[in-house]
Amino acid sequence: MRKFLKWTGLVILVLILGLYVVVILNQNKKYEAPYPNVSASTDSAVIARGKNLVFGSAHCANCHSPKGMEEKVSQGEEVPLAGGQEFDLPIGILYSKNLTPDETGIGKLSDATIARALRYGIRSDGTALFDFMPFHNTSDEDLVAVISYLRHQPAVKNIIPDHNFNLLGKLVRAFILKPVGPVGTVPVAVKRDTSAAYGKYLANSVANCRGCHTNRDMMTGAFTGEDYAGGLKFEIPTDSGTYSLTTPNLTPHATGRITGWSQQHFISRFRMGPLVKNSHMPWGPFSRMSDDELKAIYHFLQTVKPVNNTVPHGLVKEK
Ligand code: HEC
Ligand code: HEC
C-alpha cells in the first residue's frame, strides 16, 4: 500500500510539474494577422476627427488616462493619454498603455502595428491582447484618424509596469486566450450622418455600447445574452460593502430602460454625465458626442430586436 501511494504521489507530482512547464512555455504564444493598410496623416481635419474619437465616442481617454484623473475624465475633459490605469481582475492586474508619442509609449510602434493591435487584438510582440477594446470592425478611415491624433499629442514619459498575471491568468493565457479579430468585412469608411446604419457602426464598433449592454461571460468575454438586452453585472467594492450595477436593457421592449424616451430626452441624458456614482459607463467622453452621433445611435436602438429582460436599476447592495 505504501509503495502504491508513493508511486501515485510521484505520478501526480510529475503531472503537475508537466502542466506547470506547459503553462510557462505557452505564456507568450505568438499569433499572425495582416497589418492593416493604415498610416497616420498630418492633415489637420483628420487629426481633429481623431481627437473627437479619442476623447468622445471611442473613449480611449477613459482607460488610457493616468491614475488619479478619473474626475476629469468623468467631466469629459481632455487628459494626457499617458496610461497606467490598473485593472484589478480575477486573472491578475493589467495596466493600460501609454499612448503618447514618447518612447515609453507608442514612440517605437509603427502605425500598422497600432492598427493591427486594435483590429486583430495582437500586441507588437505577436502575443494576444485581452479583449478590452471594441475596435475590430472600426473603419480604416477612423483608425487613421485615431492614430494621426495619437502621433500629434505631446509626448509624456511614463513607464508602465508589466501586467501581473496570477496562476489563473497564466492558465488563461496558456489555454484560453486567443486574439479577437473582426467579423465580416471591415469598412474602408462609413458615411457619417444620423442614420440607424451609422448609429449601428458607432454602437457596435466604436463606442462599445454592445459590449457593455449585452450579457457576457466575464472570464472569456464571449457574448452570452441577446444584443442590447443588458444584464452585464459589474461589482463595485466600497468601504461600506460591495455593490453591483447591472447594464440596462436598451432594446425597444416594455422592460427596456429607454423605451418611451424621446430623441431629445436621450440626447439630454448624455449631456448630463454620470448620475450614478462609480458607473462604468464612460459618460464623460460620451457627453462630448455630437447631436448627430447621438441621433444616429438613438435611431439604431429603435431598430434592434425587442427583448423581454428586466434588469435591476441603480446600485444594489451585494454584501
Ligand atoms: C475599456 C478600456 C479601454 C479602452 C476604451 C481603450 N483601451 Fe487600449 N488598452 C486597454 C488595456 C487594458 C490594454 C492592455 C491590454 C492587454 O495588454 O491585454 C490596452 C492596450 C492598448 C494598446 C497596446 C497594444 C500593445 O501592443 O500592447 C494600444 C495601442 C491601445 N490600447 C490603444 C487604444 C486606443 C487608440 C483606444 C481608443 C481608440 C483605446 N486603446 C481604448 C484598455 C482600453
Ligand atoms: C463600460 C460599460 C458601458 C459602456 C461602454 C456603455 N454603457 Fe451604458 N451603462 C452602463 C452601466 C453600468 C449603466 C448603469 C449605470 C448608469 O446609469 O450609469 C449604463 C446605463 C445606460 C443608460 C441608462 C441611463 C439612465 O440614466 O438610466 C443608457 C441610456 C445607456 N447606458 C446607453 C449607452 C449607450 C448608447 C452606449 C454607447 C454609446 C453605452 N451605454 C455604453 C455601462 C456601459
Side-chain angles (χ1 to χ4, degrees):
M1 190 62 187
R2 286 224 350 241
K3 207 168 164 191
F4 175 74
L5 280 181
K6 198 169 120 195
W7 279 106
T8 355
L10 205 64
V11 167
I12 291 175
L13 193 70
V14 167
L15 283 177
I16 291 177
L17 273 177
L19 181 69
Y20 185 72
V21 169
V22 173
V23 168
I24 296 304
L25 287 179
N26 282 291
Q27 281 308 288
N28 291 306
K29 268 202 267 187
K30 306 267 195 262
Y31 294 90
E32 303 274 342
Y35 285 97
N37 186 12
V38 158
S39 55
S41 153
T42 50
D43 181 321
S44 57
V46 175
I47 293 171
R49 163 85 187 138
K51 187 174 180 185
N52 283 340
L53 286 158
V54 164
F55 292 108
S57 53
H59 61 280
C60 321
N62 209 63
C63 300
H64 288 276
S65 51
K67 275 200 268 184
M69 295 230 175
E70 295 74 15
E71 193 53 39
K72 286 199 161 134
V73 172
S74 76
Q75 281 163 13
E77 287 181 35
E78 288 163 21
V79 294
L81 302 175
Q85 265 187 54
E86 281 180 29
F87 294 79
D88 193 348
L89 305 168
I91 52 168
I93 299 177
L94 276 72
Y95 299 89
S96 67
K97 303 290 168 193
N98 178 349
L99 298 185
T100 75
D102 191 72
E103 61 170 23
T104 58
I106 54 164
K108 286 186 183 149
L109 304 183
S110 70
D111 297 336
T113 309
I114 300 172
R116 185 181 71 160
L118 297 176
R119 184 165 292 166
Y120 294 102
I122 299 182
R123 291 195 187 91
S124 53
D125 66 1
T127 58
L129 282 163
F130 282 87
D131 195 27
F132 277 88
M133 302 179 283
F135 310 117
H136 313 298
N137 279 72
T138 306
S139 69
D140 288 355
E141 188 183 52
D142 283 346
L143 288 187
V144 167
V146 165
I147 297 169
S148 304
Y149 175 72
L150 295 182
R151 296 274 184 231
H152 182 75
Q153 319 153 81
V156 180
K157 193 176 175 68
N158 189 22
I159 300 170
I160 308 296
D162 287 338
H163 300 325
N164 189 358
F165 297 107
N166 57 25
L167 182 60
L168 181 62
K170 292 197 169 94
L171 284 166
V172 169
R173 282 188 57 152
F175 301 119
I176 300 176
L177 183 68
K178 296 233 157 47
V180 179
V183 180
T185 327
V186 179
V188 174
V190 182
K191 189 161 173 267
R192 294 201 281 276
D193 54 20
T194 60
S195 67
Y198 186 51
K200 178 177 183 180
Y201 168 71
L202 284 175
N204 286 352
S205 305
V206 179
N208 207 24
C209 316
R210 174 171 180 253
C212 280
H213 286 274
T214 305
N215 211 351
R216 296 169 80 169
D217 179 328
M218 279 293 198
M219 203 60 89
T220 64
F223 287 86
T224 54
E226 300 241 38
D227 273 11
Y228 292 98
L232 187 65
K233 189 163 145 183
F234 294 94
E235 298 223 323
I236 306 176
T238 72
D239 295 341
S240 52
T242 301
Y243 291 80
S244 72
L245 257 185
T246 307
T247 55
N249 178 352
L250 299 181
T251 73
H253 183 269
T255 54
R257 174 72 184 148
I258 63 169
T259 306
W261 287 19
S262 67
Q263 178 176 282
Q264 192 46 51
H265 183 100
F266 184 79
I267 295 175
S268 310
R269 173 65 194 89
F270 275 82
R271 298 282 169 252
M272 287 176 205
L275 298 182
V276 180
K277 203 171 169 292
N278 298 323
S279 173
H280 296 76
M281 178 145 156
W283 285 108
F286 286 169
S287 70
R288 299 166 63 107
M289 280 198 274
S290 70
D291 279 7
D292 279 0
E293 287 175 312
L294 290 168
K295 281 179 191 167
I297 294 175
Y298 179 83
H299 289 148
F300 163 63
L301 289 173
Q302 309 301 310
T303 68
V304 304
K305 187 180 125 194
V307 180
N308 184 348
N309 189 23
T310 305
V311 172
H313 179 55
L315 283 171
V316 175
K317 178 113 194 190
E318 294 283 311
K319 51 183 183 265

